[in-house]
């Protein structure tokens, strides 16, 4: 673990510990398989080439690929570590997606996140855009936008700060953008310790690109004090789905106004907004950050109630687990909690919500998706076998200096593009 993400408590606290990439991938796939078996449709977003030798070349390292890696290891190990980051596994940061029911042209819109707050993440979006383009290629149904300008004023972290509320997924809804600071308006407060990664201006730009109606958008500011406690994205302190927002008491500024606006705008498109507030007296912000209670998946069940997918760390936190037991026993909208072991993901700084990106599609649009990426039982078996063949079960910082790692990665990705029918999305420079 590189501990690269300043402001992410889990990421930083595990810095320099050895990781198990094979276990990480298998845990994520096992969660996908379990959700598939429950009836939830899922797609697979392919990983990226690491180390990113092209990024190292842009920073002045030269020679063959092996020489670039060895030179970086000798002269600038932190840059090599950053170029090897597996952070693209956080699918919730890949992009912001607006369904066709919300957009002016009636297409599903994708904007890859620039992730420019952290260097190791800022190198992701070119490949992310190509992979999303290969998954959702039909221009009749899908529109793809380049990442926003890679400057601090337009810091964009994707769906980790975006939620959509609706009565049913196929109907018009209300898109909820959460920002940490404003780049140009000093009336908005900002955190003092950790950076606010998402700006208001970035969220507004994405809404414009996607052709969203003003009456179908709500902007809210995350509480700067919780950012300074390690809540680096909104999905660490709140999660929404359907007509429900599940959030911590300290998550937002001007919470009452925000809830009223969400309720009013959702009502205009036939929805009935519901909020579930977790009081600080029951679960502290520190509890939420360490357990990733809110970095959960909130899923709609056929009976209208909600299923909450949480990591094992929630069961290990006495206050959080006690709260969850009282929540599901109260007869409220969240009727069930399922726990998954995602330890490798958690130690890298992300939980269940990080491992998903919501893409709401109607049946026609779903039929237009590249069928190779839709999770099925045979695909699950193929990907599990692929991971067993190609992934290492232990990774330390010293391993990153081995040029063989790049060759292993390229061989794996060559095979994966065949499995997922992606075509040429990896611009390998082999020498």
């Amino acid at each position: 673990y590189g501990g690269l993400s300043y402001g992410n408590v889990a990421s930083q606290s595990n810095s320099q510990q050895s990781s198990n990439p094979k276990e990480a991938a298998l845990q994520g796939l096992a969660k996908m398989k379990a959700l598939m078996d429950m009836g939830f449709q899922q797609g697979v977003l392919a990983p990226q080439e690491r180390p990113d030798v092209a990024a190292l070349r842009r920073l002045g390292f030269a020679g063959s690929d092996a020489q670039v890696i060895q030179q970086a290891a000798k002269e600038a190990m932190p840059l090599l570590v950053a170029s090897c980051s597996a952070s693209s596994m956080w699918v919730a940061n890949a992009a912001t997606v607006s369904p066709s029911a919300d957009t002016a042209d009636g297409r599903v819109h994708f904007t890859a996140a620039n992730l420019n707050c952290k260097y190791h993440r800022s190198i992701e979006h070119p490949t992310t855009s190509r992979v999303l383009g290969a998954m959702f290629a039909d221009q009749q149904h899908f529109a793809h936008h380049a990442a926003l300008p890679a400057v601090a004023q337009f810091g964009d972290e994707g769906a980790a700060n975006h939620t959509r509320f609706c009565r049913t997924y196929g109907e018009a809804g209300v898109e909820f953008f959460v920002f940490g600071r404003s780049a140009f308006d000093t009336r908005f407060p900002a955190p003092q310790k950790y950076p606010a990664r998402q700006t208001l201006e970035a969220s507004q730009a994405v809404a414009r690109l996607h052709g969203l109606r003003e009456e179908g958008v709500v902007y809210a500011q995350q509480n700067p004090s919780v950012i300074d406690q390690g809540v680096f994205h909104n999905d660490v302190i709140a999660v929404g789905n359907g007509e429900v927002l599940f959030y911590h008491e300290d998550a937002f500024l001007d919470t009452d106004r925000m809830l009223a606006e969400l309720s009013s705008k959702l009502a205009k498109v036939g929805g009935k907004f519901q909020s579930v507030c977790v009081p600080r007296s029951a679960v502290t912000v520190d509890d939420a950050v360490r357990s990733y209670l809110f970095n959960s998946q909130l899923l709609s069940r056929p009976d209208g109630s909600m299923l909450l997918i949480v990591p094992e760390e929630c069961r290990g936190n006495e206050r959080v687990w006690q709260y969850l037991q009282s929540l599901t026993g109260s007869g409220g909208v969240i009727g069930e909690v399922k726990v998954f072991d995602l330890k490798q993901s958690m130690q890298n700084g992300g939980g269940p919500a990080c491992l998903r990106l919501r893409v709401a599609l109607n049946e026609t649009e779903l039929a237009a998706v590249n069928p190779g990426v839709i999770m099925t039982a045979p695909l699950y078996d193929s990907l599990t076998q692929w991971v067993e063949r190609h992934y290492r079960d232990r990774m330390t910082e010293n391993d990153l200096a081995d040029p063989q790692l790049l060759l292993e990665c390229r061989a794996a990705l060559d095979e994966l593009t065949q499995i997922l029918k992606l075509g040429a999305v990896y611009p390998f420079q082999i020498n």
Side-chain angles (χ1 to χ4, degrees):
Y1 296 107
L4 298 170
S5 193
Y6 183 65
N8 181 331
V9 173
S11 170
Q12 291 183 273
S13 64
N14 290 298
S15 178
Q16 303 306 306
Q17 293 186 28
S18 63
S19 66
N20 187 329
K22 179 178 289 187
E23 186 178 37
L26 292 175
Q27 287 175 343
L29 284 170
K31 182 185 74 71
M32 289 190 76
K33 173 65 162 55
L35 267 60
M36 180 189 73
D37 290 342
M38 295 178 215
F40 296 103
Q41 187 83 263
Q42 293 170 98
V44 179
L45 188 73
Q48 304 199 7
E49 178 188 345
R50 293 293 180 266
D52 188 333
V53 178
L56 290 172
R57 291 182 186 281
R58 289 194 296 272
L59 298 176
F61 300 102
S64 68
D65 290 344
Q67 289 170 331
V68 166
I69 293 168
Q70 291 164 345
Q71 184 185 4
K74 181 180 179 180
E75 299 178 10
M77 191 64 185
L79 293 181
L80 177 60
V81 171
S83 78
C84 292
S85 174
S87 55
S88 65
M89 72 184 291
W90 308 141
V91 182
N93 298 127
T96 303
V97 185
S98 294
S100 57
D102 294 353
T103 63
D105 67 0
R107 293 188 293 171
V108 184
H109 283 248
F110 300 78
T111 296
N114 61 25
L115 300 168
N116 70 301
C117 183
K118 300 285 182 290
Y119 171 72
H120 69 284
R121 304 230 55 185
S122 70
I123 61 178
E124 294 174 21
H125 66 81
T127 300
T128 298
S129 292
R130 286 193 298 273
V131 174
L132 287 172
M135 295 171 69
F136 305 94
D138 190 331
Q139 295 183 14
Q140 179 181 349
H141 299 293
F142 309 118
H144 295 272
H145 305 280
L148 297 179
V151 294
Q153 289 93 336
F154 292 102
D156 178 24
E157 301 282 314
N161 295 309
H162 173 262
T163 303
R164 179 176 185 261
F165 299 103
C166 57
R167 185 176 66 172
T168 63
Y169 296 120
E171 297 179 358
V174 176
E175 301 202 18
F176 182 49
F177 292 86
V178 179
F179 62 95
R181 69 182 180 93
S182 170
F184 300 116
D185 192 335
T186 57
R187 292 175 299 175
F188 292 94
Q192 300 301 305
K193 181 179 180 182
Y194 292 136
R197 303 185 187 186
Q198 183 85 26
T199 67
L200 169 62
E201 291 77 6
S203 297
Q204 291 170 330
V206 171
R208 284 192 294 269
L209 286 168
H210 291 195
L212 303 183
R213 302 166 295 112
E214 182 179 350
E215 59 269 28
V217 175
V218 172
Y219 300 100
Q221 184 170 7
Q222 191 165 311
N223 186 344
S225 70
V226 300
I227 295 176
D228 282 338
Q229 294 175 70
V231 181
F232 55 99
H233 288 143
N234 182 58
D235 67 5
V236 183
I237 203 70
V239 59
N241 171 52
E243 298 172 311
V244 178
L245 174 65
F246 179 55
Y247 72 101
H248 191 275
E249 181 180 2
D250 295 323
F252 304 101
L253 293 183
D254 203 1
T255 304
D256 290 343
R257 180 208 60 78
M258 174 202 78
L259 294 175
E261 186 177 0
L262 283 171
S263 181
S264 172
K265 288 187 172 180
L266 190 59
K268 291 177 181 177
V269 289
K272 185 177 181 181
F273 180 70
Q274 303 176 67
S275 61
V276 180
C277 176
V278 180
R280 69 177 73 91
S281 59
V283 175
T284 67
V285 171
D286 184 65
D287 288 329
V289 170
R290 295 189 181 280
S291 69
Y292 267 28
L293 166 62
F294 296 96
N295 194 260
S296 48
Q297 287 187 252
L298 191 61
L299 301 164
S300 299
R301 301 196 302 182
D303 65 0
S305 68
M306 296 282 176
L307 166 66
L308 193 68
I309 302 292
V310 301
E312 185 66 47
E313 283 74 7
C314 283
R315 187 151 49 193
N317 183 301
E318 184 177 353
R319 284 186 296 272
V320 168
W321 193 243
Q322 184 177 358
Y323 172 78
L324 286 172
Q325 299 309 298
S326 66
L327 179 69
T328 55
S330 67
V333 68
I334 299 178
E336 184 181 5
V337 171
K338 284 190 179 293
V339 179
F340 285 85
D341 179 6
L342 298 166
K343 181 180 179 182
Q344 290 294 320
S345 170
M346 288 289 295
Q347 290 186 167
N348 204 28
C354 296
L355 300 174
R356 64 97 182 102
L357 172 67
R358 291 186 184 274
V359 183
L361 304 171
N362 60 39
E363 291 299 327
T364 302
E365 292 157 355
L366 181 59
V369 175
N370 175 351
V373 303
I374 300 297
M375 180 58 84
T376 61
L379 179 57
Y380 170 77
D381 291 339
S382 295
L383 291 174
T384 299
Q385 294 163 15
W386 174 77
V387 169
E388 292 285 1
R389 282 194 299 275
H390 292 288
Y391 277 57
R392 296 189 183 189
D393 60 11
R394 186 173 186 271
M395 191 75 71
T396 66
E397 187 174 273
N398 289 336
D399 293 322
L400 305 182
D402 179 8
Q404 181 62 29
L405 182 65
L406 176 62
L407 299 180
E408 292 174 11
C409 180
R410 285 175 170 169
L413 292 176
D414 275 337
E415 184 178 331
L416 184 66
T417 56
Q418 301 302 312
I419 294 173
L420 300 180
K421 301 178 176 62
L422 290 176
V425 297
Y426 298 107
F428 297 156
Q429 179 183 343
I430 301 176
N431 54 51

